[in-house]
Amino acid sequence: MNATPQDYRHLDVGPLLGNDSGMNDLLYVNGGNPLSGTITVRGAKNFVSKAMVASLLGETKSVLRNVPQIRDVAVVSGLLSLHGVQVEYSAADGVINLDPSAVESAHVAEIDAHAGSSRIPILFCGPLLHRLGEAFIPDLGGCHIGDRPIDFHLEILRRFGAEVDKREGGIHLRALGRLKGIKMELPYPSVGATEQLLLTAVRAEGITELSNAAIEPEIVDLICVLQKMGAIISVDTDRVIRIEGVDRLTGFTHTALGDRIEAASWASAALATGGDVTIKGAHQVEMMAFLNTFRKVGGQFEVHDQDIRFWHPGGPLRSIVLETDVHPGFMTDWQQPLVVALTQATGLSIVHETVYEKRFGFTCALRKMGANIQIYRECLGGAPCRFGQRNFHHSAVISGPTPLHAADVEVPDLRGGFSYLIAALAANGRSTVRGISLIDRGYEAFQEKLEALGADVSRG
């Protein structure tokens, strides 16, 4: 049976795909209590959706395991079903079956309606050009944390040989024959651009060579999926990826790597609240940079085969100097949750954001809750970065420790929103966090996990 949006009621797709501004978009948080207990994180949001898109490239069924019940999965499931892919998802088991044998073009209005604010449709282009010879993407949304233009994606597709026609409401692409491999060097190791290259190059004619590629664990896991499908891909130690195009790909069976961003978010919550949280599904190898920083701040952790325990050992936390970077550096998505914990550290902490130029907007609400945070245009605490001469507030100085107090706050973006939850949990009093449906994009059952850790929360 071909799935439709209505078939995803178990994913709560109605509010997830729309803009639900009703009362249940509020969360009341009574803070001041340490988080304690055990939770589980499943597959990485930044990988699972891309692997689902990759299934379009195959001509047989694919099976993806360890899939979380989050909005991005619902969005991609709906978009795939619009293109004729049969999608079956078991939330309890975390297994999704994808049959792309009857791929077809989808109506423009339907794509636009189901994409919502997601930016994932841009990655459908390469696979659809290979399968159908054409693709359409609507105007894209996403979190407002910096400049993530699609023009660079479109230039990549043009270089492969696609014809790009910008129209009102979206962009139409056509393949005037088989796409051909390219040689390209990225000006910055962008994850999105690397994904675009991979998903387009694997069935293009000839060799594609990508220099200065992103090599995040989620990228490597996507390469593993594509190799299982029949792709020929090599990754060098100097950030060069080479892809030898093939005529045909088959389906895959794969278990998604754990979500290192979600794991670090809960670890930061344990530190900020003085708690003790064990996270099943967290793995050391993908989190080494975070673990080093967590220890420098004064947190403690224990690594086990299937989980990591994070806790605040008591006593004062230590201020640090931190710079975000592409993998294997400290990732930008770890920065926002950890900043909340740094408000409780003794002394001046400096955070230099080098990945997204507008990622410190969330600190306004933290200041409202009592944090002492100043943001600056200068590159503080590290070498000058690409934002240093562009008038962006991309460095922060956090002075602590400062007691946090309850407030009424509005979720600005996915990671900033979870940071507000952490601040509300650490604060004294009852906070109101508005717009929490945005958090459903990347945090599976976050309210249930909060309650399992002893948090006093309720939906409005």
Side-chain angles (χ1 to χ4, degrees), residues 321-323 350-352 374 376 378-383 394-397:
V321 175
L322 178 65
E323 185 170 76
I350 298 173
V351 180
H352 180 205
Q374 301 295 323
Y376 297 89
E378 293 77 15
C379 299
L380 301 181
H394 68 294
S395 293
V397 176

Side-chain angles (χ1 to χ4, degrees), residues 59-375:
E59 297 176 13
T60 57
K61 295 179 181 179
S62 292
V63 179
L64 185 60
R65 301 192 179 102
N66 201 29
V67 177
Q69 189 177 0
I70 57 176
R71 184 197 305 185
D72 274 17
V73 170
V75 169
V76 179
S77 295
L79 290 170
L80 287 171
S81 67
L82 288 175
H83 285 94
V85 178
Q86 294 184 22
V87 183
E88 296 177 358
Y89 175 53
S90 170
D93 299 329
V95 176
I96 195 162
N97 293 276
L98 305 155
D99 184 356
S101 57
V103 171
E104 60 187 27
S105 296
H107 193 276
V108 169
E110 291 177 325
I111 297 173
D112 196 16
H114 285 81
S117 63
S118 172
R119 300 177 65 88
I120 195 68
I122 189 66
L123 294 179
F124 275 67
C125 294
L128 289 175
L129 287 170
H130 287 304
R131 292 297 304 273
L132 301 175
E134 65 176 359
F136 174 83
I137 53 172
D139 292 329
L140 300 178
C143 293
H144 301 293
I145 55 177
D147 189 20
R148 297 189 287 180
I150 68 168
D151 286 348
F152 192 61
H153 286 262
L154 299 178
E155 177 59 27
I156 290 171
L157 294 163
R158 284 192 187 97
R159 292 186 62 174
F160 275 103
E163 181 183 83
V164 179
D165 180 18
K166 294 186 178 181
R167 302 175 181 176
E168 184 178 354
I171 300 165
H172 184 261
L173 300 97
R174 289 194 303 161
L176 306 177
R178 187 176 178 187
L179 302 181
K180 299 186 183 300
I182 62 174
K183 185 173 183 178
M184 187 169 193
E185 180 174 0
L186 297 179
Y188 182 80
S190 161
V191 169
T194 301
E195 292 165 341
Q196 187 71 259
L197 262 292
L198 286 168
L199 292 169
T200 307
V202 286
R203 286 190 58 174
E205 181 180 349
I207 305 293
T208 294
E209 181 178 289
L210 176 62
S211 301
N212 201 27
I215 54 171
E216 272 68 7
E218 295 81 10
I219 292 285
V220 175
D221 217 25
L222 179 60
I223 291 172
C224 289
V225 162
L226 293 169
Q227 188 180 59
K228 287 181 177 182
M229 298 175 75
I232 302 172
I233 307 174
S234 64
V235 183
D236 295 343
T237 56
D238 57 354
R239 291 188 178 273
V240 175
I241 298 177
R242 291 180 179 84
I243 307 105
E244 182 176 339
V246 298
D247 295 332
R248 181 177 180 271
L249 294 173
T250 60
F252 63 84
T253 297
H254 190 79
T255 299
L257 82 167
D259 196 317
R260 63 194 176 120
I261 303 174
E262 183 181 358
S265 298
W266 290 110
S268 295
L271 193 61
T273 63
D276 187 336
V277 176
T278 296
I279 305 172
K280 294 183 177 179
H283 298 288
Q284 180 182 15
V285 67
E286 293 98 13
M287 298 186 67
M288 294 184 72
F290 178 83
L291 295 176
N292 287 335
T293 301
F294 193 84
R295 180 169 281 162
K296 289 178 182 178
V297 174
Q300 294 293 320
F301 61 87
E302 289 179 350
V303 177
H304 306 116
D305 287 344
Q306 302 301 323
D307 61 62
I308 304 177
R309 176 191 170 205
F310 296 91
W311 75 95
H312 190 310
L317 298 179
R318 297 184 288 271
S319 58
I320 60 170
V321 175
L322 178 65
E323 185 170 76
T324 66
D325 202 354
V326 297
H327 188 77
F330 190 94
M331 74 180 305
T332 179
D333 288 320
W334 290 335
Q335 175 256 110
Q336 290 166 294
L338 188 66
V339 162
V340 181
L342 291 177
T343 67
Q344 304 309 302
T346 300
L348 292 177
S349 292
I350 298 173
V351 180
H352 180 205
E353 171 62 51
T354 73
V355 180
Y356 290 124
E357 67 271 30
K358 298 179 182 178
R359 198 132 216 189
F360 284 123
F362 78 105
T363 59
C364 292
L366 297 185
R367 288 195 292 270
K368 180 180 177 181
M369 300 178 77
N372 188 347
I373 303 174
Q374 301 295 323
I375 57 175

